[in-house]
Amino acid sequence: EDQVTQSPEALRLQEGESSSLNCSYTVSGLRGLFWYRQDPGKGPEFLFTLYSAGEEKEKERLKATLTKKESFLHITAPKPEDSATYLCAVKSPGANNLFFGTGTRLTVIP
Amino acid sequence: ETGVTQSPTHLIKTRGQQVTLRCSSQSGHNTVSWYQQALGQGPQFIFQYYREEENGRGNFPPRFSGLQFPNYSSELNVNALELDDSALYLCASRHSAGGSEQYFGPGTRLTVT
């Protein structure tokens, strides 16, 4: 059975204080690991897809990396507008859906 | 902007009632999925439609049903509402010839009292 565990549950950072969010997964034959950002009361916003170990993708202050067991979302010099919940999801072979973790709630303090 | 819209934004229903939620996908996005997101949880897969037929379902009872229309719109119907059905309902679409990433709408907040 697919499992996705995100840590920490919540993270408070000072503006400019870089950190990383973790997504550990158990899935046979990963067909994609996805990162989304979700603001309160809104739908998830797509950030990245990673397909194979060693792959990295960047967008502004965010960088996502993937190993065979986990993915990290690195946030460099965060700003208050980066405050949101970050969701990780996996897709397994033959599945039509994404399987989500419970998210990390990030708060960036000015 | 994902081009995915949902209506209504908020809805309050009484236990036992029925509800219909609507979603309009991007043109060309012929695959639509519905998810339920309880407070503080990640989205949970309800079902997926491709070319107007259900082709995948999560662990949800038959009182959750759906429709997809040729104009890229879809519906989620829930019968015999229960208090635990209170959640944010999300619609997500993708093009079957595109990547695996799904693009979500803003959601419908359903409260069952």
Side-chain angles (χ1 to χ4, degrees):
Chain A
E1 186 177 306
D2 298 346
Q3 286 196 2
V4 177
T5 303
Q6 292 190 246
S7 61
E9 287 187 13
L11 182 63
R12 289 172 67 90
L13 298 173
Q14 289 291 136
E15 184 172 2
E17 179 187 1
S18 301
S19 187
S20 296
L21 314 183
N22 177 264
C23 171
S24 297
Y25 65 91
T26 302
V27 61
S28 297
L30 182 72
R31 289 292 182 266
L33 185 138
F34 304 82
W35 282 99
Y36 285 83
R37 168 196 169 123
Q38 186 174 28
D39 292 306
K42 298 192 176 180
E45 174 191 344
F46 171 73
L47 294 173
F48 304 110
T49 308
L50 302 166
Y51 289 102
S52 55
E55 191 175 356
E56 300 183 350
K57 288 194 177 172
E58 287 188 66
K59 179 181 178 180
E60 296 180 356
R61 295 177 293 282
L62 301 176
K63 178 180 172 181
T65 62
L66 181 66
T67 73
K68 289 187 177 179
K69 294 183 179 180
E70 57 192 350
S71 177
F72 291 94
L73 185 65
H74 307 278
I75 302 177
T76 302
K79 298 182 178 182
E81 52 263 41
D82 295 322
S83 297
T85 295
Y86 290 85
L87 294 165
C88 170
V90 298
K91 188 173 188 296
S92 56
N96 294 321
N97 60 291
L98 301 182
F99 186 85
F100 282 86
T102 54
T104 293
R105 189 172 67 254
L106 174 67
T107 304
V108 182
I109 304 160
Chain B
E1 285 293 329
T2 64
V4 181
T5 59
Q6 293 187 241
S7 64
T9 306
H10 297 91
L11 201 52
I12 299 174
K13 288 286 189 178
T14 303
R15 190 171 53 183
Q17 287 187 316
Q18 178 266 342
V19 69
T20 297
L21 309 182
R22 294 180 172 83
C23 171
S24 180
S25 306
Q26 286 187 47
S27 177
H29 278 208
N30 50 12
T31 301
V32 64
S33 301
W34 285 88
Y35 290 80
Q36 179 195 68
Q37 187 177 24
L39 208 58
Q41 301 297 312
Q44 277 198 295
F45 176 65
I46 302 174
F47 45 58
Q48 179 176 282
Y49 276 79
Y50 172 64
R51 291 186 173 179
E52 303 161 46
E53 299 218 357
E54 184 181 303
N55 74 336
R57 189 175 187 95
N59 190 24
F60 281 81
R63 62 189 183 86
F64 286 78
S65 63
L67 287 171
Q68 185 186 26
F69 304 100
N71 65 350
Y72 306 111
S73 66
S74 62
E75 291 181 353
L76 165 65
N77 299 290
V78 187
N79 294 321
L81 283 166
E82 301 177 359
L83 297 179
D84 285 349
D85 295 334
S86 296
L88 181 68
Y89 286 86
L90 297 161
C91 163
S93 75
R94 68 178 185 90
H95 196 294
S96 61
S100 298
E101 55 268 15
Q102 299 182 6
Y103 296 92
F104 285 83
T108 293
R109 170 69 63 187
L110 173 65
T111 302
V112 182
T113 61

